[in-house]
Amino acid sequence: MAGLEGMGQPRGHAHAAAARWSPTVEDEHALKALELYGNPTEAEVPLPSRPESAATARRLTQVVILRHWGLTPKTTEDAVLLVSELVGNAVRHTGARVFGLRLHRRRGWIRVEVRDPSRGLPCLMPVQETDISGRGLFLVDKLADRWGVDLLPRGKTTWFEMRVTDR
């Protein structure tokens, strides 16, 4: 994916963008997101229902799982991918102005929740290798140990859980 970063842009711009990204810079962005939006382990974090909020949700998830909970990079990577899928569904399919992000940890498990005001249920659709969309819940189903939807009086919470090794 990083190799495609400069597509359609002047060659120098791609190199400048690649030079700016680093794990340290990404950690700084994640810590800034935590400061701006709050800690999703302490209370639900409301985020605007816009595509760019997926990056904020990914950063919040990354900083909590990797830095605060000290879990493995693989667990963090999978959880970040899955939170992106749940947020994408909330933004694209619910018509919400805001959605909420919450992270929980208990012995041997992490749980990530995305709450939105729609009572429309997400659908796990069969996918083909060549499909370019509609793969979000398929990925959640494959990478998470459990996932589901809790209907609320006003909306729903879509969640996934992953087994983790406690250190």
Side-chain angles (χ1 to χ4, degrees), residues 14-36:
H15 290 294
R20 280 194 305 266
W21 189 93
S22 74
T24 303
V25 169
E26 190 55 36
D27 277 350
E28 288 174 18
H29 289 311
L31 292 169
K32 187 69 166 171
L34 200 62
E35 185 181 307
L36 287 172

PDB file of all heavy atoms in Angstrom, residues 14-36:
ATOM      1  N   ALA A  14       5.427  12.323  -3.556  1.00  0.00           N
ATOM      2  CA  ALA A  14       5.330  10.971  -2.992  1.00  0.00           C
ATOM      3  C   ALA A  14       6.505  10.703  -2.063  1.00  0.00           C
ATOM      4  O   ALA A  14       6.334  10.127  -0.992  1.00  0.00           O
ATOM      5  CB  ALA A  14       5.286   9.930  -4.100  1.00  0.00           C
ATOM      6  N   HIS A  15       7.686  11.132  -2.463  1.00  0.00           N
ATOM      7  CA  HIS A  15       8.847  10.917  -1.617  1.00  0.00           C
ATOM      8  C   HIS A  15       8.760  11.737  -0.343  1.00  0.00           C
ATOM      9  O   HIS A  15       9.104  11.251   0.722  1.00  0.00           O
ATOM     10  CB  HIS A  15      10.145  11.251  -2.367  1.00  0.00           C
ATOM     11  CG  HIS A  15      10.458  10.254  -3.442  1.00  0.00           C
ATOM     12  ND1 HIS A  15      10.768   8.946  -3.175  1.00  0.00           N
ATOM     13  CD2 HIS A  15      10.482  10.378  -4.795  1.00  0.00           C
ATOM     14  CE1 HIS A  15      10.983   8.305  -4.306  1.00  0.00           C
ATOM     15  NE2 HIS A  15      10.807   9.143  -5.307  1.00  0.00           N
ATOM     16  N   ALA A  16       8.259  12.963  -0.436  1.00  0.00           N
ATOM     17  CA  ALA A  16       8.111  13.799   0.751  1.00  0.00           C
ATOM     18  C   ALA A  16       7.098  13.173   1.702  1.00  0.00           C
ATOM     19  O   ALA A  16       7.306  13.132   2.907  1.00  0.00           O
ATOM     20  CB  ALA A  16       7.677  15.212   0.363  1.00  0.00           C
ATOM     21  N   ALA A  17       5.990  12.641   1.172  1.00  0.00           N
ATOM     22  CA  ALA A  17       4.975  12.008   2.018  1.00  0.00           C
ATOM     23  C   ALA A  17       5.552  10.768   2.686  1.00  0.00           C
ATOM     24  O   ALA A  17       5.327  10.529   3.866  1.00  0.00           O
ATOM     25  CB  ALA A  17       3.734  11.646   1.189  1.00  0.00           C
ATOM     26  N   ALA A  18       6.311   9.975   1.937  1.00  0.00           N
ATOM     27  CA  ALA A  18       6.900   8.765   2.500  1.00  0.00           C
ATOM     28  C   ALA A  18       7.922   9.119   3.577  1.00  0.00           C
ATOM     29  O   ALA A  18       8.024   8.436   4.586  1.00  0.00           O
ATOM     30  CB  ALA A  18       7.548   7.932   1.396  1.00  0.00           C
ATOM     31  N   ALA A  19       8.659  10.198   3.374  1.00  0.00           N
ATOM     32  CA  ALA A  19       9.672  10.600   4.343  1.00  0.00           C
ATOM     33  C   ALA A  19       9.033  11.094   5.639  1.00  0.00           C
ATOM     34  O   ALA A  19       9.615  10.960   6.701  1.00  0.00           O
ATOM     35  CB  ALA A  19      10.555  11.691   3.747  1.00  0.00           C
ATOM     36  N   ARG A  20       7.820  11.655   5.565  1.00  0.00           N
ATOM     37  CA  ARG A  20       7.152  12.175   6.759  1.00  0.00           C
ATOM     38  C   ARG A  20       6.595  11.077   7.650  1.00  0.00           C
ATOM     39  O   ARG A  20       6.461  11.247   8.830  1.00  0.00           O
ATOM     40  CB  ARG A  20       6.007  13.112   6.372  1.00  0.00           C
ATOM     41  CG  ARG A  20       6.463  14.498   6.009  1.00  0.00           C
ATOM     42  CD  ARG A  20       5.304  15.455   5.974  1.00  0.00           C
ATOM     43  NE  ARG A  20       4.234  15.007   5.099  1.00  0.00           N
ATOM     44  CZ  ARG A  20       4.094  15.358   3.824  1.00  0.00           C
ATOM     45  NH1 ARG A  20       4.954  16.153   3.264  1.00  0.00           N
ATOM     46  NH2 ARG A  20       3.080  14.915   3.107  1.00  0.00           N
ATOM     47  N   TRP A  21       6.216   9.914   7.094  1.00  0.00           N
ATOM     48  CA  TRP A  21       5.616   8.867   7.911  1.00  0.00           C
ATOM     49  C   TRP A  21       6.686   8.092   8.641  1.00  0.00           C
ATOM     50  O   TRP A  21       7.714   7.748   8.086  1.00  0.00           O
ATOM     51  CB  TRP A  21       4.796   7.882   7.071  1.00  0.00           C
ATOM     52  CG  TRP A  21       4.031   6.974   7.979  1.00  0.00           C
ATOM     53  CD1 TRP A  21       2.767   7.172   8.418  1.00  0.00           C
ATOM     54  CD2 TRP A  21       4.493   5.776   8.603  1.00  0.00           C
ATOM     55  NE1 TRP A  21       2.405   6.169   9.273  1.00  0.00           N
ATOM     56  CE2 TRP A  21       3.448   5.285   9.413  1.00  0.00           C
ATOM     57  CE3 TRP A  21       5.667   5.068   8.580  1.00  0.00           C
ATOM     58  CZ2 TRP A  21       3.551   4.132  10.176  1.00  0.00           C
ATOM     59  CZ3 TRP A  21       5.774   3.905   9.347  1.00  0.00           C
ATOM     60  CH2 TRP A  21       4.731   3.452  10.122  1.00  0.00           C
ATOM     61  N   SER A  22       6.442   7.851   9.887  1.00  0.00           N
ATOM     62  CA  SER A  22       7.295   6.968  10.677  1.00  0.00           C
ATOM     63  C   SER A  22       6.476   6.498  11.869  1.00  0.00           C
ATOM     64  O   SER A  22       5.487   7.141  12.227  1.00  0.00           O
ATOM     65  CB  SER A  22       8.546   7.710  11.158  1.00  0.00           C
ATOM     66  OG  SER A  22       8.206   8.600  12.203  1.00  0.00           O
ATOM     67  N   PRO A  23       6.879   5.406  12.503  1.00  0.00           N
ATOM     68  CA  PRO A  23       6.142   4.971  13.694  1.00  0.00           C
ATOM     69  C   PRO A  23       6.098   6.055  14.760  1.00  0.00           C
ATOM     70  O   PRO A  23       5.093   6.219  15.441  1.00  0.00           O
ATOM     71  CB  PRO A  23       6.926   3.743  14.167  1.00  0.00           C
ATOM     72  CG  PRO A  23       7.621   3.236  12.952  1.00  0.00           C
ATOM     73  CD  PRO A  23       7.924   4.462  12.123  1.00  0.00           C
ATOM     74  N   THR A  24       7.176   6.825  14.899  1.00  0.00           N
ATOM     75  CA  THR A  24       7.210   7.891  15.902  1.00  0.00           C
ATOM     76  C   THR A  24       6.179   8.962  15.578  1.00  0.00           C
ATOM     77  O   THR A  24       5.438   9.405  16.447  1.00  0.00           O
ATOM     78  CB  THR A  24       8.624   8.512  15.970  1.00  0.00           C
ATOM     79  OG1 THR A  24       9.551   7.471  16.250  1.00  0.00           O
ATOM     80  CG2 THR A  24       8.701   9.589  17.024  1.00  0.00           C
ATOM     81  N   VAL A  25       6.115   9.366  14.308  1.00  0.00           N
ATOM     82  CA  VAL A  25       5.130  10.369  13.894  1.00  0.00           C
ATOM     83  C   VAL A  25       3.721   9.821  14.104  1.00  0.00           C
ATOM     84  O   VAL A  25       2.839  10.516  14.606  1.00  0.00           O
ATOM     85  CB  VAL A  25       5.360  10.789  12.423  1.00  0.00           C
ATOM     86  CG1 VAL A  25       4.199  11.616  11.898  1.00  0.00           C
ATOM     87  CG2 VAL A  25       6.668  11.558  12.292  1.00  0.00           C
ATOM     88  N   GLU A  26       3.504   8.553  13.754  1.00  0.00           N
ATOM     89  CA  GLU A  26       2.188   7.951  13.936  1.00  0.00           C
ATOM     90  C   GLU A  26       1.821   7.897  15.417  1.00  0.00           C
ATOM     91  O   GLU A  26       0.678   8.144  15.788  1.00  0.00           O
ATOM     92  CB  GLU A  26       2.128   6.557  13.301  1.00  0.00           C
ATOM     93  CG  GLU A  26       0.737   5.989  13.242  1.00  0.00           C
ATOM     94  CD  GLU A  26      -0.290   6.879  12.547  1.00  0.00           C
ATOM     95  OE1 GLU A  26       0.041   7.570  11.566  1.00  0.00           O
ATOM     96  OE2 GLU A  26      -1.445   6.903  13.003  1.00  0.00           O
ATOM     97  N   ASP A  27       2.779   7.590  16.283  1.00  0.00           N
ATOM     98  CA  ASP A  27       2.519   7.613  17.728  1.00  0.00           C
ATOM     99  C   ASP A  27       2.118   9.010  18.181  1.00  0.00           C
ATOM    100  O   ASP A  27       1.219   9.161  19.004  1.00  0.00           O
ATOM    101  CB  ASP A  27       3.759   7.177  18.515  1.00  0.00           C
ATOM    102  CG  ASP A  27       3.903   5.670  18.609  1.00  0.00           C
ATOM    103  OD1 ASP A  27       2.953   4.944  18.231  1.00  0.00           O
ATOM    104  OD2 ASP A  27       4.970   5.217  19.057  1.00  0.00           O
ATOM    105  N   GLU A  28       2.790  10.024  17.659  1.00  0.00           N
ATOM    106  CA  GLU A  28       2.443  11.407  18.012  1.00  0.00           C
ATOM    107  C   GLU A  28       1.018  11.727  17.589  1.00  0.00           C
ATOM    108  O   GLU A  28       0.262  12.340  18.347  1.00  0.00           O
ATOM    109  CB  GLU A  28       3.429  12.390  17.365  1.00  0.00           C
ATOM    110  CG  GLU A  28       4.794  12.371  17.993  1.00  0.00           C
ATOM    111  CD  GLU A  28       5.790  13.249  17.233  1.00  0.00           C
ATOM    112  OE1 GLU A  28       5.364  14.123  16.454  1.00  0.00           O
ATOM    113  OE2 GLU A  28       7.001  13.034  17.426  1.00  0.00           O
ATOM    114  N   HIS A  29       0.615  11.309  16.383  1.00  0.00           N
ATOM    115  CA  HIS A  29      -0.755  11.524  15.917  1.00  0.00           C
ATOM    116  C   HIS A  29      -1.745  10.793  16.815  1.00  0.00           C
ATOM    117  O   HIS A  29      -2.810  11.311  17.131  1.00  0.00           O
ATOM    118  CB  HIS A  29      -0.928  11.050  14.473  1.00  0.00           C
ATOM    119  CG  HIS A  29      -0.255  11.907  13.451  1.00  0.00           C
ATOM    120  ND1 HIS A  29      -0.392  13.277  13.403  1.00  0.00           N
ATOM    121  CD2 HIS A  29       0.563  11.574  12.435  1.00  0.00           C
ATOM    122  CE1 HIS A  29       0.312  13.754  12.400  1.00  0.00           C
ATOM    123  NE2 HIS A  29       0.908  12.740  11.786  1.00  0.00           N
ATOM    124  N   ALA A  30      -1.399   9.577  17.208  1.00  0.00           N
ATOM    125  CA  ALA A  30      -2.281   8.782  18.058  1.00  0.00           C
ATOM    126  C   ALA A  30      -2.437   9.438  19.430  1.00  0.00           C
ATOM    127  O   ALA A  30      -3.553   9.537  19.958  1.00  0.00           O
ATOM    128  CB  ALA A  30      -1.746   7.358  18.192  1.00  0.00           C
ATOM    129  N   LEU A  31      -1.346   9.896  20.006  1.00  0.00           N
ATOM    130  CA  LEU A  31      -1.416  10.559  21.310  1.00  0.00           C
ATOM    131  C   LEU A  31      -2.206  11.863  21.224  1.00  0.00           C
ATOM    132  O   LEU A  31      -2.969  12.209  22.128  1.00  0.00           O
ATOM    133  CB  LEU A  31      -0.009  10.800  21.861  1.00  0.00           C
ATOM    134  CG  LEU A  31       0.749   9.530  22.259  1.00  0.00           C
ATOM    135  CD1 LEU A  31       2.212   9.838  22.544  1.00  0.00           C
ATOM    136  CD2 LEU A  31       0.088   8.848  23.440  1.00  0.00           C
ATOM    137  N   LYS A  32      -2.055  12.580  20.116  1.00  0.00           N
ATOM    138  CA  LYS A  32      -2.819  13.810  19.897  1.00  0.00           C
ATOM    139  C   LYS A  32      -4.318  13.499  19.798  1.00  0.00           C
ATOM    140  O   LYS A  32      -5.152  14.210  20.357  1.00  0.00           O
ATOM    141  CB  LYS A  32      -2.319  14.518  18.641  1.00  0.00           C
ATOM    142  CG  LYS A  32      -2.921  15.878  18.424  1.00  0.00           C
ATOM    143  CD  LYS A  32      -2.428  16.845  19.473  1.00  0.00           C
ATOM    144  CE  LYS A  32      -2.753  18.261  19.060  1.00  0.00           C
ATOM    145  NZ  LYS A  32      -2.491  19.186  20.139  1.00  0.00           N
ATOM    146  N   ALA A  33      -4.674  12.416  19.087  1.00  0.00           N
ATOM    147  CA  ALA A  33      -6.080  12.009  18.979  1.00  0.00           C
ATOM    148  C   ALA A  33      -6.644  11.691  20.360  1.00  0.00           C
ATOM    149  O   ALA A  33      -7.775  12.073  20.688  1.00  0.00           O
ATOM    150  CB  ALA A  33      -6.221  10.807  18.048  1.00  0.00           C
ATOM    151  N   LEU A  34      -5.855  11.022  21.192  1.00  0.00           N
ATOM    152  CA  LEU A  34      -6.278  10.695  22.555  1.00  0.00           C
ATOM    153  C   LEU A  34      -6.542  11.972  23.354  1.00  0.00           C
ATOM    154  O   LEU A  34      -7.544  12.082  24.062  1.00  0.00           O
ATOM    155  CB  LEU A  34      -5.188   9.857  23.214  1.00  0.00           C
ATOM    156  CG  LEU A  34      -5.547   9.016  24.416  1.00  0.00           C
ATOM    157  CD1 LEU A  34      -6.589   7.974  24.073  1.00  0.00           C
ATOM    158  CD2 LEU A  34      -4.298   8.338  24.962  1.00  0.00           C
ATOM    159  N   GLU A  35      -5.657  12.940  23.192  1.00  0.00           N
ATOM    160  CA  GLU A  35      -5.801  14.221  23.887  1.00  0.00           C
ATOM    161  C   GLU A  35      -7.041  14.986  23.400  1.00  0.00           C
ATOM    162  O   GLU A  35      -7.785  15.552  24.193  1.00  0.00           O
ATOM    163  CB  GLU A  35      -4.533  15.047  23.626  1.00  0.00           C
ATOM    164  CG  GLU A  35      -4.456  16.358  24.365  1.00  0.00           C
ATOM    165  CD  GLU A  35      -3.169  17.090  24.011  1.00  0.00           C
ATOM    166  OE1 GLU A  35      -2.081  16.484  24.138  1.00  0.00           O
ATOM    167  OE2 GLU A  35      -3.266  18.266  23.588  1.00  0.00           O
ATOM    168  N   LEU A  36      -7.279  14.980  22.086  1.00  0.00           N
ATOM    169  CA  LEU A  36      -8.396  15.741  21.511  1.00  0.00           C
ATOM    170  C   LEU A  36      -9.764  15.113  21.761  1.00  0.00           C
ATOM    171  O   LEU A  36     -10.737  15.810  22.030  1.00  0.00           O
ATOM    172  CB  LEU A  36      -8.209  15.891  20.000  1.00  0.00           C
ATOM    173  CG  LEU A  36      -7.142  16.853  19.521  1.00  0.00           C
ATOM    174  CD1 LEU A  36      -6.961  16.731  18.014  1.00  0.00           C
ATOM    175  CD2 LEU A  36      -7.512  18.278  19.887  1.00  0.00           C
TER     176      LEU A  36
END
